[in-house]
Coordinates of all heavy atoms in Angstrom, one line a residue:
Y161 N 86.9 111.3 82.3 CA 86.5 112.6 82.7 C 87.0 112.9 84.2 O 87.8 113.9 84.4 CB 85.0 112.8 82.7 CG 84.5 114.2 83.1 CD1 84.2 115.2 82.0 CD2 84.1 114.5 84.4 CE1 83.7 116.4 82.5 CE2 83.6 115.6 84.7 CZ 83.4 116.7 83.7 OH 82.8 117.9 84.1
C162 N 86.9 112.0 85.0 CA 87.2 112.1 86.5 C 88.7 112.0 86.7 O 89.3 112.6 87.4 CB 86.5 111.2 87.3 SG 84.7 111.6 87.4
Q163 N 89.3 111.2 85.9 CA 90.8 111.1 85.9 C 91.5 112.5 85.6 O 92.3 113.0 86.4 CB 91.3 110.1 84.8 CG 91.0 108.7 85.1 CD 91.2 107.8 83.9 OE1 91.9 108.2 82.8 NE2 90.8 106.5 84.0
A164 N 91.0 113.1 84.5 CA 91.5 114.4 84.2 C 91.2 115.5 85.2 O 92.0 116.4 85.6 CB 91.0 115.0 82.8
H165 N 90.0 115.5 85.8 CA 89.7 116.4 86.8 C 90.4 116.3 88.0 O 91.0 117.2 88.7 CB 88.1 116.3 87.2 CG 87.3 117.1 86.2 ND1 86.4 118.0 86.6 CD2 87.2 117.0 84.8 CE1 85.7 118.4 85.5 NE2 86.3 117.9 84.4
A166 N 90.7 115.0 88.5 CA 91.4 114.7 89.7 C 92.9 115.1 89.6 O 93.5 115.6 90.5 CB 91.3 113.2 90.0
I167 N 93.4 114.7 88.5 CA 95.0 115.1 88.3 C 95.0 116.7 88.2 O 96.0 117.2 88.7 CB 95.6 114.4 87.1 CG1 97.1 114.3 87.3 CG2 95.2 115.1 85.8 CD1 97.5 113.2 88.3
R168 N 94.1 117.3 87.6 CA 94.2 118.8 87.6 C 94.1 119.4 89.0 O 94.8 120.3 89.3 CB 93.1 119.4 86.6 CG 93.0 120.9 86.5 CD 92.0 121.3 85.6 NE 91.9 122.8 85.5 CZ 92.7 123.5 84.7 NH1 93.4 122.9 84.0 NH2 92.6 124.8 84.7
A169 N 93.1 118.8 89.8 CA 93.0 119.3 91.1 C 94.1 119.0 91.9 O 94.5 119.8 92.8 CB 91.6 118.8 91.8
A170 N 94.7 117.9 91.8 CA 95.9 117.5 92.6 C 97.1 118.4 92.3 O 97.8 118.9 93.2 CB 96.4 116.0 92.1
E171 N 97.3 118.9 91.0 CA 98.2 119.8 90.7 C 97.9 121.2 91.3 O 98.8 121.9 91.9 CB 98.4 120.1 89.2 CG 99.3 121.2 88.7 CD 99.1 121.5 87.3 OE1 98.1 121.4 86.6 OE2 100.2 122.1 86.8
R172 N 96.7 121.6 91.3 CA 96.3 122.9 91.8 C 96.3 122.9 93.3 O 96.6 124.1 93.9 CB 94.8 123.3 91.4 CG 94.8 123.5 89.9 CD 93.3 123.8 89.4 NE 92.8 125.0 89.9 CZ 92.7 126.2 89.3 NH1 93.4 126.4 88.2 NH2 92.2 127.2 89.9
Y173 N 96.3 121.8 93.9 CA 96.5 121.7 95.4 C 97.8 121.3 95.8 O 98.0 121.0 97.0 CB 95.4 120.8 96.0 CG 94.1 121.4 96.2 CD1 93.1 121.4 95.2 CD2 93.8 122.4 97.1 CE1 91.8 122.0 95.3 CE2 92.7 123.1 97.4 CZ 91.7 122.8 96.4 OH 90.5 123.5 96.5
G174 N 98.8 121.4 95.0 CA 100.1 121.3 95.4 C 100.9 119.9 95.4 O 101.9 119.7 96.0
A175 N 100.3 119.0 94.7 CA 100.9 117.7 94.6 C 102.3 118.0 93.8 O 102.4 118.9 93.1 CB 100.1 116.7 93.7
E176 N 103.3 117.2 94.3 CA 104.7 117.4 93.8 C 104.6 117.0 92.3 O 104.0 116.1 91.9 CB 105.7 116.5 94.5 CG 105.8 116.8 96.0 CD 106.7 115.9 96.7 OE1 107.5 115.2 96.1 OE2 106.6 115.9 97.9
Q177 N 105.4 117.7 91.5 CA 105.5 117.5 90.1 C 105.9 115.9 89.7 O 105.4 115.4 88.9 CB 106.6 118.4 89.4 CG 106.5 118.4 87.9 CD 105.3 118.9 87.3 OE1 104.8 119.9 87.7 NE2 104.8 118.2 86.2
E178 N 106.8 115.6 90.6 CA 107.3 114.0 90.4 C 106.1 113.0 90.5 O 106.1 112.1 89.9 CB 108.5 113.9 91.2 CG 109.3 112.6 90.8 CD 110.6 112.5 91.6 OE1 110.8 113.2 92.5 OE2 111.3 111.5 91.2
Q179 N 105.2 113.4 91.5 CA 104.1 112.5 91.8 C 103.1 112.7 90.6 O 102.7 111.6 90.2 CB 103.5 113.0 93.1 CG 104.3 112.6 94.3 CD 103.5 113.0 95.7 OE1 102.9 114.1 95.7 NE2 103.7 112.1 96.5
L180 N 102.9 113.9 90.2 CA 102.0 114.1 89.0 C 102.5 113.3 87.8 O 101.7 112.7 87.2 CB 101.7 115.6 88.7 CG 101.1 116.4 89.7 CD1 101.3 117.8 89.5 CD2 99.6 115.9 89.9
D181 N 103.8 113.4 87.5 CA 104.4 112.8 86.4 C 104.4 111.3 86.5 O 104.6 110.6 85.4 CB 105.8 113.3 86.2 CG 105.8 114.8 85.6 OD1 104.8 115.3 85.1 OD2 106.9 115.4 85.9
N182 N 104.4 110.8 87.7 CA 104.5 109.3 87.9 C 103.3 108.6 88.6 O 103.5 107.7 89.3 CB 105.8 109.0 88.7 CG 107.0 109.5 87.8 OD1 107.4 108.8 86.8 ND2 107.6 110.6 88.1
I183 N 102.2 109.3 88.6 CA 101.0 108.8 89.4 C 100.7 107.3 89.0 O 100.3 106.5 89.8 CB 99.8 109.6 89.1 CG1 98.6 109.4 90.1 CG2 99.3 109.7 87.8 CD1 98.8 109.7 91.5
W184 N 101.0 106.9 87.7 CA 100.7 105.5 87.3 C 101.6 104.6 88.0 O 101.2 103.5 88.2 CB 101.0 105.4 85.8 CG 100.1 106.2 85.0 CD1 100.4 107.5 84.5 CD2 98.9 105.8 84.3 NE1 99.3 107.9 83.7 CE2 98.4 106.9 83.6 CE3 98.1 104.6 84.4 CZ2 97.2 106.9 82.8 CZ3 96.9 104.6 83.6 CH2 96.5 105.6 82.9
E185 N 102.7 105.0 88.6 CA 103.7 104.0 89.2 C 103.8 104.4 90.7 O 104.8 104.2 91.3 CB 105.1 104.3 88.7 CG 105.2 103.7 87.2 CD 104.9 104.8 86.2 OE1 105.1 106.0 86.4 OE2 104.3 104.5 85.0
Y186 N 102.7 104.8 91.4 CA 102.7 105.2 92.8 C 103.2 104.1 93.6 O 103.8 104.3 94.7 CB 101.3 105.7 93.2 CG 100.4 104.6 93.5 CD1 100.4 103.9 94.8 CD2 99.5 104.2 92.6 CE1 99.5 102.8 95.0 CE2 98.5 103.1 92.8 CZ 98.6 102.5 94.1 OH 97.6 101.4 94.4
R187 N 103.0 102.8 93.3 CA 103.4 101.7 94.2 C 105.0 101.6 94.3 O 105.5 101.0 95.4 CB 102.9 100.4 93.7 CG 101.3 100.2 94.0 CD 100.9 98.9 93.6 NE 99.6 98.6 94.2 CZ 98.7 97.8 93.6 NH1 98.9 97.2 92.6 NH2 97.5 97.6 94.3
T188 N 105.7 101.9 93.3 CA 107.1 101.7 93.2 C 107.9 103.0 93.1 O 109.1 103.0 93.4 CB 107.5 100.8 92.0 OG1 107.0 101.4 90.8 CG2 106.8 99.4 92.3
H189 N 107.3 104.1 92.7 CA 108.1 105.3 92.5 C 108.5 105.9 93.8 O 107.6 106.1 94.6 CB 107.3 106.3 91.7 CG 108.2 107.4 91.0 ND1 108.6 108.4 91.7 CD2 108.8 107.5 89.8 CE1 109.4 109.1 91.1 NE2 109.6 108.5 89.8
P190 N 109.8 106.4 93.9 CA 110.3 107.0 95.2 C 109.6 108.4 95.5 O 109.8 108.8 96.8 CB 111.8 107.2 95.0 CG 112.0 107.1 93.5 CD 110.9 106.3 92.9
A191 N 108.9 108.9 94.7 CA 108.2 110.2 95.1 C 107.0 109.9 96.0 O 106.5 110.9 96.6 CB 107.7 110.8 93.8
F192 N 106.6 108.7 96.2 CA 105.5 108.4 97.1 C 105.9 107.9 98.4 O 106.7 106.9 98.4 CB 104.5 107.5 96.3 CG 103.9 108.1 95.1 CD1 104.5 108.1 93.9 CD2 102.7 108.8 95.3 CE1 103.9 108.7 92.7 CE2 102.1 109.5 94.1 CZ 102.8 109.4 92.9
S193 N 105.3 108.2 99.4 CA 105.7 107.8 100.8 C 105.0 106.4 101.0 O 104.0 106.2 100.4 CB 105.5 108.7 101.9 OG 104.0 108.9 102.1
E194 N 105.3 105.7 102.0 CA 104.7 104.4 102.4 C 103.2 104.9 102.8 O 102.2 104.1 102.5 CB 105.3 103.7 103.5 CG 106.7 103.0 103.0 CD 106.5 102.0 101.9 OE1 105.4 101.3 101.9 OE2 107.2 102.2 100.8
A195 N 103.0 105.8 103.6 CA 101.7 106.3 103.9 C 100.8 106.6 102.7 O 99.7 106.2 102.6 CB 101.8 107.6 104.9
E196 N 101.4 107.4 101.7 CA 100.7 107.6 100.5 C 100.3 106.3 99.7 O 99.2 106.2 99.3 CB 101.4 108.6 99.6 CG 101.6 109.9 100.2 CD 102.5 110.8 99.6 OE1 103.6 110.3 98.9 OE2 102.3 112.2 99.6
R197 N 101.2 105.4 99.6 CA 100.9 104.1 99.0 C 99.8 103.4 99.7 O 99.0 102.9 98.9 CB 102.2 103.3 99.1 CG 103.3 103.8 98.0 CD 104.5 102.7 98.0 NE 105.4 103.2 97.1 CZ 106.6 103.8 97.4 NH1 107.0 103.8 98.6 NH2 107.3 104.3 96.4
A198 N 99.8 103.4 101.0 CA 98.7 102.8 101.7 C 97.3 103.4 101.3 O 96.4 102.6 101.1 CB 99.0 102.8 103.3

């Protein structure tokens, strides 16, 4: 329930499409900065 709500809110608040599409791989995907990874 909260996974779906959080990803919906991230989209509505302007998360980049590439981040939304690759949230599962935040540790390695280039769409995420080092600050975001931390």
Side-chain angles (χ1 to χ4, degrees):
Y161 182 91
C162 292
Q163 290 167 10
H165 279 232
I167 204 76
R168 180 177 180 83
E171 175 190 25
R172 291 175 67 91
Y173 277 100
E176 296 175 19
Q177 187 68 42
E178 199 169 4
Q179 290 180 319
L180 294 168
D181 289 339
N182 297 285
I183 188 78
W184 296 89
E185 290 90 32
Y186 78 84
R187 284 185 166 151
T188 57
H189 198 278
F192 296 88
S193 70
E194 290 302 315
E196 289 167 331
R197 285 188 182 106

